Amino acid sequence: MKMVFRWYGEGNDTVTLAQIRQIPGVSGIVWALHDVPAGEEWPIEKIMAVKKLADRYGFNVDVVESVNVHEDIKLGLKTRELYIENYKNTITKLARVGVKVICYNFMPVFDWTRTDMAKGLADGSTALFYENEKIKDMDPMELVKQIASNPDLTMPGWEPERLRHLNELFEAYKSVTDEDLWQNLKYFLEQIIPVAEANAIKMAIHPDDPPWPVFGLPRIITNHENLRRLLNLVDSPYNALTLCSGSLGANAENDVPGMVREFVDRIAFAHIRNVRRFDNGDFIETSHRSADGSLDIVEIMKAYHEGGFTGYVRPDHGRHIWGEKCRPGYGLYDRALGIMYLWGIWDTLEKRR
Ligand code: DNO
């Protein structure tokens, strides 16, 4: 496996490349042009600038997370043609700096959703939390207002640009069923996968987080059967997965090691994190350690190892520990601890081989 670390860019992240370089075994940064709105073509100069910076620290830029998909594509509107064209051009440009994997998602309107960015854990740290009842009763506009009024709450995927047209978007999605969303995803993939293939870039879809509908919006990348369906929409190794253990694992019915075993050849990118699930459907993100959460991270790593996984891995969200002020879930310390846990498991498995 190739270990990589998500980095939001200079001036946009509390973690520095100099710090990341001191985490053992990290070969690349997972990056994006966070200031380019979804649907627009990425400017080559900006892409080159990230590459130049990464080179200075000896990091590869193989994995991009994310090139966001414009809502018109998900909604299947006529205007999608322009945005698909832009997407294709971005893929081609990313190939010029050696990108190998593009992570994206197909969640309507919102990306990942939580109700509390800093819920206290018993050890005094804080972590991202999802409270089922709260979401059920919540007007999404309320959540958006909270986020807009508190810069510390910024979550990727909840960019102001995306949220500006929220009412219209909700209106537009009213008539979109799960099946429509599948059709729109198929249409998108049929157009972009040949371009990805020609550029040797794997398109790795991220599962929906949490893996169930929120605010009445459809969500389809949620379980084993649907991952299988996704891979069959376009049967190419370039139509691949970002298998996120924490997203899928929020639903106790999802057998994450089983998914890894079945799909390992089509997983381009592994997001690894643990979550503790509660009986009422709430969940909180924990340290990576198996004993701390509901997911057996050792078993998940074993499944990757047995499958001969050679793709990219990143520690996913971490807790906020040792007083660190950082983007929710994206501090330095707990993700670095997570990496050492993952390496510990992996190196032991390697030695036993
Ligand atoms: C959350 C991330 C997601 C992910 C997107 C992929 O921390 O895992 O925001 O980047 O869903 O497009």
Side-chain angles (χ1 to χ4, degrees):
M1 68 174 177
K2 298 187 269 282
M3 187 64 74
V4 287
F5 197 86
R6 192 172 199 190
W7 185 63
Y8 283 94
E10 231 163 15
N12 198 26
D13 202 318
T14 52
V15 182
T16 65
L17 291 179
Q19 289 170 323
I20 300 171
R21 190 161 59 174
Q22 293 174 4
I23 308 171
V26 175
S27 54
I29 48 163
V30 175
W31 63 284
L33 298 182
H34 294 279
D35 58 338
V36 180
E40 278 185 24
E41 193 174 317
W42 287 16
I44 191 71
E45 314 75 54
K46 287 194 177 184
I47 295 174
M48 293 294 194
V50 175
K51 163 83 175 134
K52 208 166 144 199
L53 201 57
D55 278 348
R56 221 187 289 153
Y57 289 84
F59 288 130
N60 69 58
V61 290
D62 295 1
V63 185
V64 169
E65 177 178 350
S66 314
V67 181
N68 285 323
V69 177
H70 195 276
E71 295 300 331
D72 289 10
I73 298 177
K74 297 180 223 167
L75 284 162
L77 303 181
K78 281 216 179 78
T79 38
R80 68 181 159 183
E81 303 304 339
L82 165 72
Y83 298 116
I84 293 178
E85 223 27 60
N86 289 350
Y87 208 101
K88 288 182 189 168
N89 293 339
T90 298
I91 295 176
T92 309
K93 285 186 190 166
L94 289 173
R96 284 173 55 187
V97 293
V99 167
K100 308 275 189 297
V101 174
I102 295 175
C103 171
Y104 70 103
N105 72 75
F106 217 72
M107 288 176 249
V109 191
F110 300 110
D111 192 332
W112 54 311
T113 304
R114 298 290 183 275
T115 53
D116 192 340
M117 305 300 141
K119 176 88 169 170
L121 282 155
D123 60 10
S125 62
T126 64
L128 301 172
F129 178 62
Y130 181 94
E131 191 177 340
N132 218 10
E133 278 306 310
K134 210 167 181 178
I135 288 278
K136 269 194 205 146
D137 300 334
M138 192 182 258
D139 171 1
M141 291 310 283
E142 263 319 299
L143 200 53
V144 170
K145 265 190 226 142
Q146 273 179 39
I147 289 170
S149 63
N150 182 352
D152 292 343
L153 284 183
T154 319
M155 295 192 284
W158 289 69
E159 294 81 9
E161 173 54 34
R162 208 179 249 244
L163 302 178
R164 206 161 292 143
H165 308 289
L166 208 61
N167 281 334
E168 297 154 43
L169 276 177
F170 266 89
E171 212 35 56
Y173 273 106
K174 268 193 184 149
S175 58
V176 177
T177 63
D178 282 14
E179 278 313 308
D180 294 332
L181 201 56
W182 278 112
Q183 284 315 312
N184 298 341
L185 177 54
K186 186 171 162 53
Y187 185 88
F188 174 63
L189 289 175
E190 279 172 346
Q191 301 230 16
I192 61 158
I193 295 300
V195 179
E197 207 160 323
N199 285 285
I201 291 184
K202 292 189 174 167
M203 293 302 307
I205 197 166
H206 188 286
D208 303 345
D209 181 2
W212 53 74
V214 283
F215 306 127
L217 295 163
R219 286 193 155 192
I220 54 177
I221 310 300
T222 50
N223 59 31
H224 206 123
E225 191 189 322
N226 289 1
L227 291 180
R228 204 179 284 143
R229 177 168 179 187
L230 171 275
L231 293 174
N232 287 329
L233 286 182
V234 175
D235 193 14
S236 155
Y238 292 89
N239 176 26
L241 301 175
T242 295
L243 200 97
C244 178
S245 66
S247 303
L248 292 161
N251 180 348
E253 285 171 19
N254 281 337
D255 165 20
V256 180
M259 291 172 174
V260 175
R261 277 185 218 106
E262 177 170 339
F263 304 124
V264 71
D265 294 337
R266 299 282 290 273
I267 301 173
F269 189 21
H271 281 186
I272 303 197
R273 82 174 127 90
N274 211 340
V275 288
R276 176 156 300 281
R277 297 181 300 253
F278 301 100
D279 292 343
N280 61 0
D282 297 354
F283 63 88
I284 188 152
E285 300 187 359
T286 63
S287 98
H288 281 68
R289 190 167 183 232
S290 294
D292 288 344
S294 302
L295 301 184
D296 190 344
I297 300 293
V298 175
E299 203 48 44
I300 292 170
M301 293 306 281
K302 266 169 78 184
Y304 277 112
H305 194 261
E306 280 162 21
F309 182 68
T310 56
Y312 299 87
V313 176
R314 78 166 174 85
D316 208 350
H317 307 162
R319 299 162 300 148
H320 319 113
I321 64 174
W322 303 333
E324 187 178 20
K325 294 269 172 286
C326 56
R327 287 177 160 271
Y330 284 98
L332 171 65
Y333 306 137
D334 204 35
R335 285 191 295 158
L337 290 178
I339 286 187
M340 288 315 290
Y341 184 65
L342 300 179
W343 275 134
I345 299 168
W346 193 262
D347 290 350
T348 306
L349 294 170
E350 281 286 274
K351 210 157 188 172
R352 280 210 199 136
R353 197 195 279 275

